[in-house]
Amino acid sequence: MQRGHLLLWLLFAQAHAELPMCKESDYHFEYTECDLLGSRWRVAVPNKANTCTGLPDPVKGTQCTFSCSEGEFLDMQSQQCQKCAVGTYSLGTGVAFDEWDSLPSGFVTHGVTTYGGEAHTHCSNSTWTPVGDYVTSNTDECTATLSYAVSLKKPGTVSFEYLYPDSSIYFEFFIQNDQCQSTDSKSRWMKTTESNFNTYRVELNSGNNVLYWKTTGYLPGSAVKPVLIRNIAISGVAFTSECFHCKPGTHSANTGSARCTACPAESYSNKGAAICIQCEQDTYAEAGSGSCKPRPACTNSDYFYTHTPCDSEGKTQLMYKWIEPKICSETVIGAVKLPASGEKQTCPPCNPGFFVTNSSTCEPCDKGFYSNGTACTKCPVGTEPVVGFEYKWWNTMPSNMKSAIFRREFGDSEHSTAWEVAGEYVYTIPRDQDSDYLMLTLDVPGYRLPQSMVKDSERSELSRITFVFETTCAADCKFYFLAGYNRWNNDVVEQWKGSKSKQSYSYLIQSNSTASFTWTFQGTEEPNAERKYSADAAKIFSIHITNVIGGVASQCRRCALSSAKAGSACVPCPLGHYMVNGTGVCKSCPPNTFIRADQPVGEAACVKCGPNTQRNKAHTACLSDCALDVQTRGGVLLHYDFSPLSNVTGFHSSPRFTSKGLRYDHRFNLGLCGKEGRVPATCVGNVTESGKEVKGYACQSTVVPSDIRSQSMVSTQPFVIGDTLIGVTTNTTLSSISSPKWLFPSAPVLPDVIFYYKSSETTQACKQGRSATIRLRCNPSVTEKHHITLPSNCSEGTCDGCTFHFLWQSQHACPLCTKNNYREIVSACIQGIQKTTYVWQQPLQCYGGESLPAQKVSACVTLDFWLKFGVSTGTIAAVLLISISCYFWKKTRKLQYKYSKLMMSSGGTECELPTADSCAIMEGEDAEDDLMDLTRKSFFTKIRSFSRERTSDGFDSVPLKSSSLYHQREEEDSDD
């Protein structure tokens, strides 16, 4: 075994003996980790393994607290700090990255799907891309991450410059340690920039730090501007072992430089330059250029026209200017000359609210005055000025407006001009590159309602901006209108593509935080298109914004006299009254009408409430108290109570996916109805710092599931669908809003109740504003309150983008139950007890209202009793009938016998009766027989006797006994 080890050692020693001795270029020095005493060793590390032998022995290194200053580097050979040579620089205790021709060593970038799908399938190419002076993010709906790991010997900082112009992409920066724990730092949420690079700086802890830059697009299908990062600097690494060369376009003339200086315009420099070199004649270079370019011949696209300010004589003239910086040459063959200025002309009038001073300049009128652009006039007593800004003459750029050029390659554009005045309009001038963004920004301090509208602030418009524009394009130009909610954020409100004829656009301002408006024109998205479409331009003819704090007045509004605060010069009409034109007299509106905000005077200001709605107390809108009575075709009156559905309800549409697989859906918030003080439906965009918020009866926002910033979802693009209730009815059309039955086909027993809403906010696609219909359908089987669906053939809720439709099925959408909705069932009589039970009519088409009556129990007689009673009664009746029959038979026999005897005693003479012996009882005769005969008469005989007819003389006819009859009676008695 020992021999084997010895043999291997000999072979190893022989192999090393054959290697050449190491040179200084074959290895570099590194420090070992610091020990507990703060000491370390310097060791030599070969650049490639097994290429040389004889490395220097380890030596004692500097203390771990050692560091070099700015402009110095640590010479590992001597272990001493030395100054950087000219053409180089050093941060001393840090590193810097300002060249992005390729991704610097140590940086890692990758793209993943936002919802956690397979990255290589969808977003593997969505990464950060180095582009010369900066690195640019992705612009799609993927998540792109740029990371860099650094180990700090002591606490330090990281700083970088970034350009974040579009809030349609989310941008965050955060730091984690080697245990993947986020360190305490500033908010990860980066603020948007306007047109310039901003500097961001964060403190770093000693030890391992991983820096992350992450971007995520969240507007499906939208083209967004990328985030740009440059000049990343990290301090706290204690020292750098080498100095960095100045990048092209910069230089450092002195040793020990901490940074390089950019070359001025018309000069250039190469990498590691100590001085800048002037460009030769007929060549040019922009500031910070690494080379000079030949000057092209001047063309008509290299200059623009404008109007000079009015002089003291009130004259102006058309003049031409070269586009700055001027890069063309007038001496080259074929070059055009700058046209001469035009003749002087009379200046146009000032804009409304301004007046012409003695020096022919325009100044704003004082408070309480108005003007049409010539002279100021004080508002009459009982009126107030209608303040705002109205620009329709463009002799000079207004003081609260500025123009700038945004170019991705350069962020600094403060001194660049993008829009110029031209008398009747302001327009975009030719630019260096057709892909540049030409921006015109209007800043306002805030808004205030006129005194006459303060009481009706709920219905009054806070402000409205209206502008007239025109675009002329030969390429795929775009014209954007953006509203800014603070200086860090702005959102695209509307955009137009291609050439557009002269037209007007109006935007309703709903928040006092909307402080700026920007119009942006881009000739084409084609990269590096230099003045190919110079004739493409946008023009703005007029801009009018109302109710601006510090604004000027072009007219005065007449006010009605009423009680008001002391010192008020203008008082509105009482609630429910309108102002008669030109008189200042207030007149009451008809019943159940409200005052329309956009027409404060005239009877047309009174608008009748829609069906089944009532005017609110402020006479500003019509409301529904969630109760409704509907008369069916069959004449049945149905009572509805939708109050259980009155709370704001939110629901999501079915999920949708972009081309890269990003899942998103639309969230709708609905506030169906309610009385005074109801809580409106609210939609909020939670991506931007300002959090745009809209309110109304119905609103929509786009929701994207995400793990960015530890949020489960990102909500954006909120807008109002309906802020005014038009009416509630079973009709499928109301006020030009239609809800066809084919949208939600079915065969309901009861008619659907439809709520109609309208929005006052107009867009380019919806010039009449958006609208919404909520169809309530009775479905007793739906126990949940929020069963809301969208049309199957319009999955996003709208078929035309302007009118949205919803179907709300619920048991609370059924009419209230009444007695007509249930019936009674009577049970059989069992043991003397009978039950009455009430059940609902099927199918059940009601809910709530009257409840089913409780079961009733009552006493009853059974069938056996009635059977026995019937049998007994029948038996008694039969016996009685037999007895009566026998009696009358016997009586008849007697009468027959008596009649025959009488006939025999008549002597055979037909039709003669025997003569009575006497008309009265003779003396000695006893009337007892007759009396006894009477007493023996039956009850029915007595009744019969009482019913005998009286004779004509009024006496009863009593038959008298004859003697023969008497003897016959005696004979019968003797026989007995």
Side-chain angles (χ1 to χ4, degrees):
M1 181 68 67
Q2 291 180 354
R3 287 183 177 180
H5 284 296
L6 181 60
L7 180 61
L8 290 175
W9 184 84
L10 291 174
L11 291 174
F12 179 79
Q14 183 179 3
H16 276 268
E18 295 176 355
L19 295 177
M21 295 298 294
C22 291
K23 303 177 183 178
E24 291 186 3
S25 59
D26 295 329
Y27 62 87
H28 64 277
F29 292 108
E30 291 184 3
Y31 280 126
T32 62
E33 294 291 333
C34 295
D35 56 23
L36 297 177
L37 300 177
S39 301
R40 55 188 173 184
W41 291 81
R42 188 199 71 176
V43 296
V45 179
N47 297 327
K48 294 182 180 180
N50 301 325
T51 56
C52 64
T53 186
L55 292 173
D57 295 330
V59 298
K60 190 76 171 179
T62 60
Q63 292 295 316
C64 292
T65 57
F66 175 85
S67 63
C68 293
S69 303
E70 288 185 348
E72 296 180 343
F73 73 100
L74 178 63
D75 182 9
M76 295 294 288
Q77 183 70 36
S78 63
Q79 298 193 68
Q80 298 292 327
C81 293
Q82 297 184 8
K83 290 185 177 181
C84 292
V86 294
T88 63
Y89 71 99
S90 167
L91 299 178
T93 59
V95 292
F97 304 95
D98 53 8
E99 290 187 68
W100 298 92
D101 295 326
S102 61
L103 207 61
S105 176
F107 282 88
V108 177
T109 179
H110 63 278
V112 297
T113 54
T114 305
Y115 63 96
E118 298 180 2
H120 67 274
T121 302
H122 301 292
C123 298
S124 58
N125 295 326
S126 297
T127 59
W128 288 79
T129 305
V131 188
D133 294 333
Y134 55 84
V135 58
T136 176
S137 73
N138 63 318
T139 57
D140 51 27
E141 60 268 24
C142 298
T143 297
T145 303
L146 178 69
S147 61
Y148 180 75
V150 62
S151 178
L152 301 185
K153 301 301 181 182
K154 61 180 181 179
T157 62
V158 56
S159 64
F160 58 90
E161 296 179 6
Y162 72 97
L163 185 63
Y164 180 19
D166 195 342
S167 61
S168 298
I169 189 171
Y170 179 79
F171 176 39
E172 61 178 336
F173 171 74
F174 58 95
I175 307 164
Q176 291 182 345
N177 56 24
D178 49 5
Q179 281 81 38
C180 295
Q181 297 172 339
S182 296
T183 59
D184 295 333
S185 63
K186 296 181 181 179
S187 173
R188 296 168 58 162
W189 187 0
M190 303 298 293
K191 297 179 179 179
T192 55
T193 61
E194 294 180 349
S195 59
N196 302 321
F197 278 89
N198 281 1
T199 300
Y200 188 77
R201 184 184 301 272
V202 178
E203 300 291 333
L204 298 178
N205 298 325
S206 59
N208 293 324
N209 293 268
V210 184
L211 315 179
Y212 291 94
W213 294 265
K214 182 185 289 187
T215 55
T216 303
Y218 58 85
L219 291 186
S222 299
V224 296
K225 305 171 188 175
V227 178
L228 310 182
I229 297 177
R230 69 182 185 186
N231 297 337
I232 300 177
I234 304 172
S235 65
V237 295
F239 63 88
T240 178
S241 58
E242 62 178 345
C243 294
F244 300 96
H245 291 282
C246 292
K247 65 178 182 178
T250 64
H251 72 287
S252 63
N254 302 319
T255 59
S257 297
R259 59 191 56 83
C260 298
T261 304
C263 292
E266 308 302 332
S267 66
Y268 73 99
S269 70
N270 298 317
K271 185 176 182 179
I275 58 173
C276 296
I277 304 173
Q278 289 294 122
C279 291
E280 297 180 358
Q281 190 177 6
D282 293 332
T283 63
Y284 74 99
E286 298 174 348
S289 297
S291 63
C292 295
K293 300 178 182 179
R295 294 183 182 272
C298 291
T299 65
N300 294 332
S301 300
D302 293 311
Y303 62 85
F304 62 93
Y305 61 92
T306 184
H307 279 259
T308 61
C310 292
D311 56 21
S312 58
E313 299 178 353
K315 299 291 185 179
T316 183
Q317 66 180 146
L318 184 70
M319 66 176 300
Y320 298 89
K321 294 182 178 179
W322 292 111
I323 297 175
E324 296 295 340
K326 182 184 176 184
I327 62 174
C328 66
S329 174
E330 301 178 61
T331 60
V332 179
I333 299 176
V336 299
K337 301 293 184 180
L338 190 67
S341 300
E343 297 181 357
K344 287 190 175 183
Q345 299 176 350
T346 303
C347 288
C350 296
N351 284 310
F354 291 80
F355 71 97
V356 182
T357 64
N358 294 332
S359 58
S360 298
T361 59
C362 294
E363 295 291 337
C365 294
D366 294 334
K367 184 178 180 180
F369 288 78
Y370 72 98
S371 90
N372 59 358
T374 54
C376 298
T377 305
K378 187 174 180 59
C379 289
V381 176
T383 64
E384 64 173 341
V386 182
V387 297
F389 286 117
E390 183 177 2
Y391 304 111
K392 60 181 181 179
W393 298 108
W394 303 91
N395 214 43
T396 57
M397 188 68 73
S399 59
N400 58 346
M401 299 181 71
K402 65 177 182 179
S403 68
I405 298 176
F406 169 73
R407 185 179 304 164
R408 294 178 180 177
E409 290 78 3
F410 309 98
D412 303 319
S413 55
E414 292 182 349
H415 305 292
S416 302
T417 300
W419 294 71
E420 273 292 342
V421 296
E424 297 181 351
Y425 53 85
V426 59
Y427 76 106
T428 55
I429 64 175
R431 52 268 174 208
D432 290 339
Q433 294 187 6
D434 293 325
S435 59
D436 292 346
Y437 292 92
L438 310 181
M439 301 181 298
L440 178 67
T441 302
L442 168 64
D443 295 320
V444 294
Y447 314 94
R448 181 185 294 119
L449 288 174
Q451 181 66 31
S452 60
M453 295 184 178
V454 171
K455 288 188 177 182
D456 298 335
S457 58
E458 292 184 359
R459 70 172 176 85
S460 301
E461 294 181 356
L462 177 63
S463 180
R464 181 183 292 270
I465 184 170
T466 304
F467 58 92
V468 178
F469 71 97
E470 177 185 68
T471 58
T472 304
C473 304
D476 55 340
C477 69
K478 291 183 179 180
F479 184 57
Y480 303 88
F481 173 62
L482 304 91
Y485 294 90
N486 54 42
R487 66 184 299 265
W488 302 108
N489 178 42
N490 53 54
D491 290 335
V492 176
V493 176
E494 194 64 72
Q495 60 176 309
W496 298 265
K497 297 181 180 180
S499 298
K500 297 295 179 182
S501 59
K502 190 175 181 180
Q503 57 186 275
S504 175
Y505 179 80
S506 181
Y507 174 70
L508 181 64
I509 302 166
Q510 298 178 330
S511 173
N512 221 333
S513 61
T514 307
S516 66
F517 304 91
T518 302
W519 294 265
T520 301
F521 179 77
Q522 183 187 29
T524 180
E525 292 185 348
E526 180 183 343
N528 302 323
E530 297 186 2
R531 303 189 183 183
K532 184 178 180 181
Y533 306 104
S534 299
D536 293 1
K539 296 180 181 179
I540 296 179
F541 297 89
S542 64
I543 299 175
H544 184 202
I545 181 169
T546 62
N547 301 337
V548 179
I549 296 176
V552 295
S554 60
Q555 60 179 334
C556 295
R557 177 187 288 109
R558 182 178 295 276
C559 302
L561 299 178
S562 178
S563 60
K565 296 180 180 180
S568 174
C570 179
V571 182
C573 287
L575 295 177
H577 290 68
Y578 66 92
M579 186 183 301
V580 180
N581 292 330
T583 64
V585 177
C586 293
K587 189 175 180 180
S588 176
C589 283
N592 205 31
T593 59
F594 68 98
I595 305 297
R596 191 167 63 183
D598 58 352
Q599 191 167 352
V601 297
E603 189 174 1
C606 302
V607 180
K608 184 174 179 58
C609 289
N612 298 303
T613 61
Q614 300 82 34
R615 178 184 62 196
N616 63 355
K617 295 179 180 179
H619 296 73
T620 58
C622 296
L623 306 176
S624 170
D625 59 359
C626 301
L628 181 68
D629 292 337
V630 175
Q631 188 84 26
T632 64
R633 293 182 179 179
V636 180
L637 184 62
L638 304 178
H639 304 278
Y640 290 87
D641 182 11
F642 302 122
S643 55
L645 308 177
S646 61
N647 294 332
V648 175
T649 301
F651 71 101
H652 292 262
S653 66
S654 57
R656 303 177 67 84
F657 298 89
T658 64
S659 58
K660 287 188 175 292
L662 173 64
R663 178 183 181 273
Y664 72 96
D665 52 38
H666 297 300
R667 177 174 176 83
F668 298 93
N669 287 338
L670 306 179
L672 184 68
C673 54
K675 298 181 180 179
E676 302 276 351
R678 69 174 184 88
V679 178
T682 304
C683 294
V684 180
N686 65 353
V687 174
T688 58
E689 187 180 33
S690 60
K692 181 180 179 182
E693 181 179 274
V694 296
K695 296 182 178 182
Y697 281 97
C699 60
Q700 176 196 305
S701 58
T702 301
V703 177
V704 180
S706 176
D707 58 354
I708 59 177
R709 215 179 48 197
S710 302
Q711 290 184 347
S712 60
M713 65 179 63
V714 172
S715 177
T716 183
Q717 292 181 309
F719 62 85
V720 175
I721 299 175
D723 53 20
T724 302
L725 177 61
I726 302 300
V728 184
T729 179
T730 57
N731 298 331
T732 57
T733 302
L734 181 64
S735 298
S736 71
I737 306 174
S738 179
S739 177
K741 293 183 179 180
W742 56 264
L743 288 172
F744 303 102
S746 70
V749 178
L750 298 175
D752 294 335
V753 177
I754 308 174
F755 282 71
Y756 290 87
Y757 305 94
K758 187 77 174 176
S759 172
S760 58
E761 182 177 335
T762 61
T763 64
Q764 177 69 13
C766 306
K767 298 184 182 300
Q768 303 301 322
R770 297 184 179 94
S771 57
T773 66
I774 302 179
R775 182 182 288 262
L776 298 183
R777 178 168 295 173
C778 173
N779 192 340
S781 62
V782 178
T783 57
E784 56 179 330
K785 293 183 179 180
H786 313 322
H787 186 69
I788 305 175
T789 56
L790 301 173
S792 58
N793 53 347
C794 304
S795 58
E796 295 188 355
T798 176
C799 299
D800 59 2
C802 298
T803 302
F804 292 76
H805 306 278
F806 308 94
L807 174 63
W808 195 335
Q809 299 184 70
S810 173
Q811 58 187 2
H812 299 289
C814 298
L816 299 177
C817 295
T818 63
K819 294 180 179 180
N820 298 327
N821 296 108
Y822 60 82
R823 59 187 177 89
E824 63 180 21
I825 299 177
V826 181
S827 67
C829 185
I830 302 174
Q831 298 180 353
I833 298 176
Q834 190 174 46
K835 298 180 180 180
T836 303
T837 306
Y838 298 89
V839 296
W840 295 112
Q841 298 278 7
Q842 296 299 328
L844 181 62
Q845 294 293 326
C846 69
Y847 183 80
E850 292 192 16
S851 303
L852 282 176
Q855 188 182 59
K856 292 182 180 180
V857 179
S858 59
C860 62
V861 180
T862 62
L863 180 62
D864 294 342
F865 171 80
W866 289 111
L867 183 60
K868 293 178 182 179
F869 178 76
V871 172
S872 302
T873 304
T875 302
I876 295 173
V879 172
L880 182 61
L881 181 61
I882 294 172
S883 300
I884 293 174
S885 299
C886 293
Y887 169 77
F888 281 105
W889 178 80
K890 185 178 180 181
K891 198 72 173 176
T892 304
R893 294 278 296 178
K894 288 182 179 181
L895 290 175
Q896 289 178 351
Y897 177 77
K898 290 180 180 181
Y899 180 74
S900 63
K901 293 291 285 183
L902 184 60
M903 293 296 294
M904 292 175 61
S905 62
S906 63
T909 306
E910 188 177 0
C911 295
E912 290 185 5
L913 294 176
T915 305
D917 292 340
S918 175
C919 294
I921 300 176
M922 299 301 293
E923 185 178 354
E925 294 181 347
D926 192 2
E928 184 180 355
D929 293 338
D930 294 331
L931 294 173
M932 291 300 293
D933 183 65
L934 290 172
T935 60
R936 289 198 299 267
K937 290 181 179 180
S938 68
F939 174 74
F940 292 99
T941 305
K942 291 178 182 181
I943 293 176
R944 185 179 180 187
S945 65
F946 289 151
S947 62
R948 288 179 301 178
E949 294 182 2
R950 292 180 179 267
T951 59
S952 60
D953 57 2
F955 294 96
D956 294 333
S957 176
V958 181
L960 299 177
K961 294 181 179 180
S962 62
S963 59
S964 62
L965 292 175
Y966 181 71
H967 291 297
Q968 181 182 353
R969 180 70 174 273
E970 287 181 347
E971 290 177 0
E972 292 176 355
D973 295 337
S974 64
D975 292 336
D976 296 336

